[in-house]
Amino acid sequence: MARGLPKRKPIPGVKNIIVVASGKGGVGKSTTAVNLALGIVANEPHVQVGLLDADVFGPSIPRMMNLSGKPQISSDNLLVPLVNYGIKCMSIGFLVEEKAAIIWRGPMVMSAIEKLLRQVAWSPVDYLVIDMPPGTGDTQLSISQNVPISGSVIVTTPQDIALLDARRGAEMFRKVDIPVLGVVQNMSVFICPNCGHQEHIFGKDGAERMAKEINVQVLGNIPLDKSIRELSDTGQPIVIARPDSPQAEAYKSIAATIVKQLHKEKT
Ligand code: ADP
């Protein structure tokens, strides 16, 4: 651990923590986090996966995972995660009205996140996937310094501005000694469903160039695809709804690479 950093306290019963981050909002971070968590289970059905929605200002995990209602309280006074598609989920969206968190300030946000990390009956979990808030502000930094994170995944589109922000994200993780497992290039290409023509709406190969520059790997490319959006919006992530589609295969391959990379980092 780098000198001068606070000691990170593990979450009891949680073996690996993977954070999914993005330099800015709207690039598909939550969609990636959800399909990544499901991809890990699809690849290795015996593993236990948790999904924590730390995006307190715009929690989307309840909708994407088709979950609602209030968590039960366990006998040892912990919030019991809600489960769907085999994933244990926790989100501020289960605890407060959808719009309530928007007016929160720093300390309230951090105490809410602390609660979601530590006052939840996660155990046992092999991989806890954290959907981070977008950007590189104080909240992201505090999460990074609060728990031992095994690795970070940065989601970006191939567009210049998104890439600049993603680079800032990678720098933040490196400063606090968290391995950057790689970059997911989302909305990499649009394939016309009628004629099969490929259109690079947000530019081409941007993530490859950035990844080379900052010396990280591109974990995979996800196309801009109408079914990814439609299925996520109705709470049936594509890895579950169309497990054999090329899009689901892309998420599963990214999940496999991440798990492999994680174990490499540990040795
Ligand atoms: P973020 O977490 O970065 O704010 P989301 O994952 O919420 O972004 O995605 C924003 C919107 O884009 C959602 O409506 C989602 O369904 C859609 N989306 C994400 N990835 C894709 C994709 N590869 N193809 C089409 N739509 C996508």
Side-chain angles (χ1 to χ4, degrees), residues 22 24-32 55 60 64 131 186-187 222-226 228-230 232-233 251:
S22 66
K24 63 180 205 126
V27 296
K29 170 184 52 60
S30 301
T31 310
T32 306
D55 194 350
S60 37
M64 289 185 181
D131 181 17
N186 191 32
M187 310 187 188
I222 306 291
L224 175 63
D225 174 66
K226 198 171 157 205
I228 293 181
R229 189 200 59 75
E230 284 174 345
S232 272
D233 284 355
Y251 282 119

Side-chain angles (χ1 to χ4, degrees), residues 62-108:
R63 181 174 39 85
M64 289 185 181
M65 289 296 287
N66 198 19
L67 284 167
S68 60
K70 294 255 178 283
Q72 308 260 318
I73 307 290
S74 71
S75 54
D76 39 4
N77 244 346
L78 296 172
L79 294 164
V80 179
L82 274 65
V83 180
N84 198 10
Y85 309 129
I87 310 274
K88 298 178 187 173
C89 301
M90 188 47 71
S91 168
I92 196 76
F94 300 145
L95 305 173
V96 299
E97 289 297 317
E98 203 168 320
K99 299 262 164 3
I102 289 170
I103 52 158
W104 289 1
R105 285 164 186 266
M108 268 177 94

Side-chain angles (χ1 to χ4, degrees), residues 2 5 18 64 84 96 112 133 151 154-155 163 176 180 190 249 258-259:
L5 291 176
I18 303 167
M64 289 185 181
N84 198 10
V96 299
I154 297 177
V155 182
L163 291 169
V176 290
V180 180
F190 172 72
E249 292 298 344
I258 287 172
V259 166

